[in-house]
Amino acid sequence: MTGYILSKSLLMIRRRWKVHLPLALQMAAGVAVIHVCAALWVSAAEEYRVIREEIGGTIWNIVITPEQPSSRPPLDYEQYAMLKARFPEASFPFCIVRTVHYTTDGADVRTGRLLYASDDFLASVLQKDRPGFERGNAAYAGDDIRGLLEGRYRLIFGHVPPELGAGGEREGESGGRLSVLPMDELGAAGDRFTHHDLADWPLDRTVLLPLAFYDPSHAPPQTPENAAVFWLSVRFDRGMDADEAIGTFAQILGLLAAWNEDWRFAADAAGQRLLGGYEALRDGAAAAGGVAALGLAIVLIGLSAVVQLLFLRRRRAFAVCSACGARKGVLFAEMLLEAALPSCAGGVAGAGLGSWCLSAWADAVGVRTSPAAAAGAAVLALAPAMLAAGALASRFRRLRPLEILRGDQA
Amino acid sequence: MTLIELTDGKKAFRDGDREMIVFDRVGLRIDAGDFVAITGRSGSGKSTLLHILGCMDRLTSGTYRFRGVPVDGLGDAELARIRGKHFGFVFQSFHLIDELTALQNVEAPMGYAGVPRRERRGRALELLRRVGLADKAGHYPSQLSGGQQQRVAIARALANGPDVIFADEPTGSLDRRNGERIEELLVELNRQGTALVLVTHDERLASRAHRRFVLEDGRLLEHGSPGG
């Protein structure tokens, strides 16, 4: 009897191909789109995870450029302290760089750097924890540049703050007292900086000063060569929610811009790329999910409508077949095959089409083929059978086929 | 041999608290090769009685035996098996399946009875030949006249070699010429040994039955008997 049920169902499908073909095509298209979107979603989720890790662990550099000539620094120590207090979930490696040129004998010209650094800068760039350094009285000077501070070498260009004059402990003009210690005492790892703007810069030509000691009034005329450079970064705790990190970063930029309108603050290219990539992925994944959900809804609505329609059109045939000896279960199986087979076939074709598209476009659009998405598409391809079975089961439970004949004869 | 024996049969429907009795204390015996006609006014319950005899409905009370076996306690699947194997049905409005050809319509009862494809196809063709429609085997019901559709329905009723054919107003939707042709076909089938139970308004058709019954006021009375 199984053979008869199958052959009769196929016969019915052939007779009603105008109903079944669009449904099968709709199903094929829907599953293909959903398969591709699911793979896109999985790829986006994976990429999202990577970016999220990057966001958590990456230093977001802020590019600071003058909007107009200004005697004020873009961020003074008080503002910096407020920033830290307001965003305890982030650290702020901050450093103001001044460049000096000096000579040992008049012929040999050397370049040195004075870095007014925050605690976070020391921790981030030199991997040294010196809590309180940024507002303390200790400075660290490299062996070579100590010659300049001690008067053995001559300053050619730039400005050395009075606190760093010859001798050990000095009282600055601003009233601060500073102990200039050998750089070795800092115990920094290595003898060169690893900061991206100071790649391979030797520590022995560097003086590290507390950030709070920076006094813009000591700045010489602003020229491109010796103008102070400001390095400000933001680092979030690893594992911080990416959306929260991005939101906080935007708040920080807004706050800095509000504090000092003479300066422009922006994320650097890498940060912008990260932000752009994150937003594009988030939008892409949302769009893909929306398309997938819409496609699925259309397919399912269409399918359930067709199942109901087929059932209503076949009620009398059920009654006749029942009079001819067909059991209700057999009629159910016949109807289920007729309703679901074309859609399932379309779904399987759609899953195959989706796989083909993904393999063909994988390189072009950077979508990974995903076993989970493929498995999901396969389940979706069989969804019409489950949907039809559910819809028909409730219909058949209430169906009294022979009563239809009795009604006709009354 | 007695095929069907209905004893003290009652059929009633509930309408709220009221019980609507269709018929009561009905008794009927149908033997192999019998030809029974049941007549009565519209709404008298003839078709209901026919459906009960054909195991398409159940009695409210009373006993119905088929080949000596009470069918009242049988499940739907068992009743379906009896209908498929032992009974054939002919309806006033033919009830062919529109999506199937004449041949496929005749094949259907055999398909549900598990007859292999080749055998059922051969038998279906033979039955169509018997009703004079071998050349219409590939036609769909919509391509056949009313008389031709009813002949296909008769061929379908004969598909599994039934013991009894139940015909409910088999000529009711046909013109006189086609009606007579169907009438002859049914009588011929009965002559060949198939029991025939028909419900009809057609006096002429009813007069050809071996026994005639009238269903009136819920009672089944044999024609010619006192009160019938």
Side-chain angles (χ1 to χ4, degrees):
Chain A
M1 201 197 319
T2 311
Y4 177 72
I5 293 170
L6 184 63
S7 69
K8 189 176 166 203
S9 298
L10 290 173
L11 206 70
M12 290 294 191
I13 291 167
R14 214 170 60 204
R15 282 286 288 164
R16 295 207 182 280
W17 68 270
K18 284 180 185 171
V19 173
H20 292 296
L21 184 64
L23 193 66
L25 290 175
Q26 189 184 5
M27 191 68 196
V31 172
V33 168
I34 288 165
H35 187 182
V36 171
C37 287
L40 185 63
W41 182 278
V42 169
S43 301
E46 176 59 20
E47 203 64 28
Y48 175 89
R49 190 185 61 75
V50 171
I51 288 181
R52 199 184 163 112
E53 281 180 4
E54 276 184 36
I55 287 172
T58 299
I59 293 177
W60 295 53
N61 295 315
I62 296 174
V63 178
I64 302 172
T65 50
E67 286 271 23
Q68 57 194 22
S70 174
S71 59
R72 293 175 55 200
L75 185 67
D76 60 29
Y77 182 73
E78 283 71 28
Q79 289 169 333
Y80 176 78
M82 282 167 64
L83 205 59
K84 282 193 66 102
R86 185 154 172 183
F87 300 101
E89 68 275 28
S91 63
F92 298 87
F94 181 39
C95 177
I96 302 167
V97 184
R98 304 293 301 269
T99 303
V100 291
H101 299 283
Y102 58 94
T103 179
T104 54
D105 54 6
D108 178 23
V109 177
R110 296 178 181 174
T111 302
R113 293 239 161 92
L114 311 181
L115 305 184
Y116 295 86
S118 69
D119 292 353
D120 290 344
F121 181 85
L122 289 187
S124 167
V125 178
L126 295 175
Q127 288 85 50
K128 291 312 297 178
D129 278 332
R130 281 281 189 275
F133 166 80
E134 64 191 22
R135 51 190 159 70
N137 292 319
Y140 297 92
D143 285 346
D144 193 78
I145 204 166
R146 283 183 81 84
L148 173 68
L149 303 183
E150 290 167 359
R152 287 183 280 119
Y153 303 152
R154 185 163 55 87
L155 180 69
I156 298 174
F157 192 79
H159 174 77
V160 176
E163 306 95 299
L164 291 175
E169 193 172 296
R170 293 284 178 181
E171 186 172 347
E173 288 175 7
S174 56
R177 298 178 69 82
L178 209 57
S179 296
V180 181
L181 305 171
M183 187 64 84
D184 295 344
E185 288 191 22
L186 184 63
D191 58 356
R192 289 174 183 275
F193 277 104
T194 54
H195 189 277
H196 64 95
D197 283 335
L198 279 175
D200 285 340
W201 183 257
L203 283 174
D204 68 349
R205 293 188 192 175
T206 305
V207 183
L208 284 169
L209 297 104
L211 181 64
F213 263 85
Y214 179 71
D215 184 350
S217 65
H218 294 160
Q222 299 279 307
T223 62
E225 289 76 20
N226 69 352
V229 176
F230 303 91
W231 294 334
L232 176 60
S233 304
V234 183
R235 177 173 229 160
F236 297 106
D237 291 339
R238 185 173 288 278
M240 183 178 181
D241 181 78
D243 284 328
E244 196 184 335
I246 289 168
T248 304
F249 186 71
Q251 278 183 49
I252 291 166
L253 288 181
L255 203 59
L256 290 170
W259 279 342
N260 197 336
E261 292 173 354
D262 294 343
W263 297 83
R264 177 185 294 165
F265 304 87
D268 72 351
Q272 288 291 7
R273 182 188 57 76
L274 209 58
L275 277 173
Y278 176 81
E279 282 169 5
L281 269 173
R282 196 179 51 188
D283 294 349
V291 168
L294 190 65
L296 182 65
I298 290 170
V299 169
L300 294 184
I301 289 168
L303 181 68
S304 43
V306 167
V307 168
Q308 303 290 348
L309 188 71
L310 283 174
F311 177 85
L312 291 175
R313 292 190 69 145
R314 293 286 307 281
R315 283 177 79 241
R316 181 153 306 160
F318 294 149
V320 175
C321 293
S322 190
C324 291
R327 284 179 288 113
K328 218 159 127 177
V330 168
L331 296 174
F332 175 78
E334 251 182 48
M335 186 71 232
L336 180 60
L337 275 173
E338 184 187 337
L341 202 60
S343 310
C344 285
V348 169
L353 180 67
S355 293
W356 179 81
C357 290
L358 284 172
S359 61
W361 301 339
D363 293 338
V365 296
V367 180
R368 297 175 181 86
T369 50
S370 155
V379 169
L380 201 59
L382 299 176
M386 293 181 265
L387 182 80
L392 289 174
S394 70
R395 286 282 194 170
F396 267 84
R397 221 180 358 255
R398 295 192 299 269
L399 180 70
R400 301 281 176 270
L402 295 169
E403 284 179 8
I404 298 166
L405 287 181
R406 290 208 293 273
D408 273 6
Q409 300 298 318
Chain B
M1 186 182 79
T2 300
L3 293 175
I4 292 169
E5 193 172 4
L6 186 65
T7 312
D8 210 12
K10 175 185 174 182
K11 182 66 180 177
F13 295 103
R14 288 229 148 264
D15 181 16
D17 291 338
R18 268 183 62 213
E19 187 183 50
M20 312 267 292
I21 296 172
V22 182
F23 55 77
D24 196 6
R25 283 182 281 162
V26 166
L28 180 65
R29 203 188 75 221
I30 296 164
D31 297 327
D34 217 343
F35 184 174
V36 172
I38 301 169
T39 58
R41 285 197 307 274
S42 289
S44 60
K46 308 183 296 291
S47 292
T48 304
L49 177 59
L50 192 79
H51 281 91
I52 287 171
L53 293 173
C55 292
M56 293 202 288
D57 200 354
R58 293 174 189 268
L59 285 172
T60 306
S61 66
T63 311
Y64 174 41
R65 285 191 168 82
F66 176 69
R67 289 177 178 260
V69 178
V71 301
D72 309 308
L74 298 180
D76 288 345
E78 192 57 30
L79 291 180
R81 195 191 64 78
I82 291 174
R83 286 195 303 270
K85 198 169 164 58
H86 300 285
F87 298 161
F89 296 92
V90 178
F91 303 100
Q92 180 179 356
S93 45
F94 327 131
H95 285 324
L96 298 180
I97 299 171
D98 294 338
E99 292 85 355
L100 302 181
T101 62
L103 183 71
Q104 289 159 349
N105 265 287
V106 179
E107 275 188 73
M110 292 185 271
Y112 293 123
V115 177
R117 186 169 192 270
R118 185 173 294 182
E119 187 183 335
R120 69 171 186 257
R121 181 132 300 190
R123 207 194 294 176
L125 270 172
E126 173 54 34
L127 287 166
L128 283 176
R129 198 169 296 123
R130 208 164 139 190
V131 297
L133 289 173
D135 60 327
K136 306 283 185 192
H139 285 57
Y140 289 96
S142 59
Q143 297 168 314
L144 300 172
S145 69
Q148 287 170 332
Q149 287 189 54
Q150 195 61 299
R151 278 146 68 194
V152 173
I154 291 170
R156 183 181 63 189
L158 293 170
N160 285 325
D163 299 316
V164 190
I165 287 183
F166 296 97
D168 194 350
E169 300 282 9
T171 58
S173 298
L174 302 175
D175 58 35
R176 185 182 171 82
R177 194 172 63 83
N178 275 309
E180 284 174 3
R181 193 159 181 189
I182 294 299
E183 182 184 319
E184 287 309 318
L185 194 55
L186 291 171
V187 170
E188 178 58 28
L189 287 174
N190 177 248
R191 266 195 215 113
Q192 288 169 5
T194 308
L196 186 63
V197 178
L198 64 86
V199 160
T200 185
H201 281 108
D202 186 342
E203 279 297 322
R204 207 169 59 80
L205 178 57
S207 69
R208 300 188 71 170
H210 303 163
R211 291 187 291 147
R212 288 178 65 180
F213 292 86
V214 180
L215 191 57
E216 200 171 77
D217 299 329
R219 295 279 189 274
L220 187 67
L221 306 169
E222 186 154 9
H223 197 71
S225 65

